[in-house]
Amino acid sequence: MFNTTPSNRSFALISLITLSALFLINLPQLNFTSTTIKSTVRLVSVREEVPTSPTSSPTQDEELYLLPPSQEWMQAQMEIAMEMLSLKQDPPNNWKGCDHLPQTYYFPNIQTVFTGIPKSGCSNWLEALLRAEGTLEYQLPGTEVDQVHGRLSARHRMSYIRELGEDISDNFSFTVIRNPWTRMVSGYRDKLSNETTQGNNKRSIGIAIVREMRGISDPDLLETLYPTFEEFLRYLIKHQTTRNVHFMPQHNILCIPQSKYDYIVPLEYSSVLNEDIWRHINASVSLLGSYDSVSDPREQTSAQRAREWFSKIDPNIVEQIYELYKEDFALLSYSNFTDPNFPLPLYNQNS
């Protein structure tokens, strides 16, 4: 038994008060989160609780996030990202200088330049643009939309028309950008996972990841294995991302600094902003619908899944992934997966 005489109790009380004071003095020095660049992305610590997305009626402040940012704000964010990359765009636009970028397309009939970033809705946008151009006579079913990446769009690639004689520097141009967290989850599910509803058409990359991450060399065994999401992230870190366009940073696919886009569409607002695009090019087409029936991007399955998956990943891995893609986060000051407004751009907060 402990001796609980008055003198011992006094000593214990004094010790407790001293320890509490020392903790309070040093509390401001404790830093459990990562302070990142001015794109207002904050990474979560394992000591923090990951907020769930809003389930009740949004407040007035929350409703602000559901409205698209202004084009002026988005252009300013693009410039911030370019500064981070030590890039500067000088007019006039030099779209022909992007002939090495196969994801940039030109549609002469509607005088429009479009850069389609894989896993950022590019298939749906290409399908609609091909219809507006007259190349495609009818709307493709959602299950067949991948056909647009073959012969239908081949003649519209900037690399195909680099010898074009006319000046297209003043033609209308736009691109679509996505929150990197949801894009990474979408890319993994679609190209590398063994989900029956997904394409899994990058099997060779999946096998390479398993071989390298698990040290397995048996080809028969490798054919039966699929990489986990964490193995995919570790692979990206080890190789400083990848050359595959479905996983590489979005800024590597954009035609910058050769040209400046007239219009920037965050994928999260495509259902609203696509009408602006059709007005710009005077086309009476519609964008293929989202695979998610929920209109609030914060409640969509892709956001819910990304929030859940990344919250289970080692924070050190998350930090390194952020560093690899930090310019992509800066493109539209994208919210982190721990933010209640994830995956929307943080356009009405101080940067």
Side-chain angles (χ1 to χ4, degrees):
M1 297 291 291
F2 290 101
N3 187 343
T4 57
T5 63
S7 60
N8 283 342
R9 286 199 298 271
S10 300
F11 175 78
L13 180 59
I14 292 170
S15 298
L16 179 60
I17 293 172
T18 302
L19 288 172
S20 298
L22 287 172
F23 177 79
L24 290 173
I25 290 171
N26 289 282
L27 185 60
Q29 299 175 19
L30 297 177
N31 180 18
F32 294 151
T33 59
S34 263
T35 302
T36 57
I37 55 154
K38 54 186 175 182
S39 62
T40 54
V41 177
R42 189 177 66 80
L43 298 180
V44 73
S45 152
V46 290
R47 297 169 177 80
E48 292 184 77
E49 230 177 84
V50 178
T52 57
S53 59
T55 54
S56 57
S57 299
T59 65
Q60 185 175 0
D61 287 341
E62 287 174 333
E63 286 176 345
L64 287 174
Y65 282 105
L66 299 180
L67 298 175
S70 69
Q71 284 300 311
E72 291 76 16
W73 181 88
M74 287 189 275
Q75 294 290 351
Q77 281 301 130
M78 178 73 80
E79 290 181 6
I80 288 174
M82 289 178 65
E83 286 176 8
M84 292 171 59
L85 293 163
S86 299
L87 300 177
K88 181 176 176 59
Q89 196 274 327
D90 294 315
N93 289 328
N94 179 25
W95 294 111
K96 295 177 187 177
C98 302
D99 59 4
H100 63 292
L101 301 172
Q103 301 305 130
T104 296
Y105 303 84
Y106 174 59
F107 300 89
N109 292 345
I110 55 177
Q111 298 186 320
T112 299
V113 175
F114 168 67
T115 296
I117 298 174
K119 306 315 302 174
S120 295
C122 68
S123 298
N124 287 358
W125 281 97
L126 265 179
E127 194 273 348
L129 287 166
L130 287 167
R131 281 188 283 119
E133 176 75 1
T135 304
L136 187 62
E137 296 180 355
Y138 59 92
Q139 187 175 55
L140 293 175
T143 55
E144 299 177 17
V145 71
D146 282 348
Q147 293 182 26
V148 299
H149 297 295
R151 59 177 181 80
L152 288 173
S153 62
R155 287 181 171 271
H156 294 284
R157 292 182 186 273
M158 197 63 71
S159 54
Y160 182 86
I161 59 174
R162 58 181 174 270
E163 302 301 329
L164 190 70
E166 62 183 287
D167 180 13
I168 62 172
S169 60
D170 291 332
N171 281 193
F172 175 69
S173 60
F174 77 102
T175 189
V176 182
I177 296 170
R178 185 179 191 177
N179 188 301
W181 300 120
T182 56
R183 181 172 178 257
M184 270 180 270
V185 170
S186 176
Y188 165 80
R189 292 186 64 225
D190 184 33
K191 305 301 177 185
L192 303 176
S193 77
N194 62 346
E195 294 186 41
T196 55
T197 58
Q198 301 296 306
N200 187 30
N201 62 359
K202 298 299 175 186
R203 187 74 182 110
S204 60
I205 298 177
I207 290 175
I209 293 174
V210 173
R211 180 190 297 116
E212 191 167 327
M213 294 294 105
R214 302 185 199 176
I216 296 174
S217 57
D218 184 339
D220 294 330
L221 179 58
L222 285 170
E223 285 293 339
T224 67
L225 301 174
Y226 295 81
T228 65
F229 183 58
E230 182 171 322
E231 287 173 333
F232 165 60
L233 298 180
R234 289 182 181 276
Y235 183 86
L236 292 177
I237 292 168
K238 182 175 181 179
H239 292 274
Q240 296 293 289
T241 75
T242 170
R243 288 187 174 186
N244 186 278
V245 294
H246 298 90
F247 314 123
M248 71 167 55
Q250 296 171 84
H251 67 263
N252 287 343
I253 301 170
L254 296 174
C255 186
I256 54 175
Q258 291 93 332
S259 302
K260 180 179 180 179
Y261 293 92
D262 296 314
Y263 208 92
I264 301 168
V265 178
L267 177 69
E268 297 74 21
Y269 297 103
S270 281
S271 60
V272 177
L273 295 181
N274 80 91
E275 296 298 331
D276 286 352
I277 299 299
W278 309 137
R279 279 194 291 269
H280 271 287
I281 63 180
N282 194 26
S284 57
V285 296
S286 59
L287 191 65
L288 279 172
S290 169
Y291 293 110
D292 198 310
S293 59
V294 179
S295 58
D296 186 340
R298 300 170 300 179
E299 296 283 357
Q300 290 181 351
T301 303
S302 59
Q304 301 278 13
R305 183 177 287 108
R307 184 184 292 108
E308 177 188 357
W309 286 17
F310 274 104
S311 68
K312 296 176 181 177
I313 299 295
D314 183 337
N316 291 326
I317 295 177
V318 174
E319 181 84 48
Q320 291 178 73
I321 287 293
Y322 169 77
E323 284 298 318
L324 282 179
Y325 292 87
K326 62 183 179 182
E327 292 87 1
D328 277 8
F329 286 103
L331 284 172
L332 292 180
S333 188
Y334 267 119
S335 55
N336 188 31
F337 62 90
T338 62
D339 191 281
N341 289 294
F342 173 77
L344 303 177
L346 296 178
Y347 68 92
N348 62 346
Q349 291 191 4
N350 293 327
S351 57

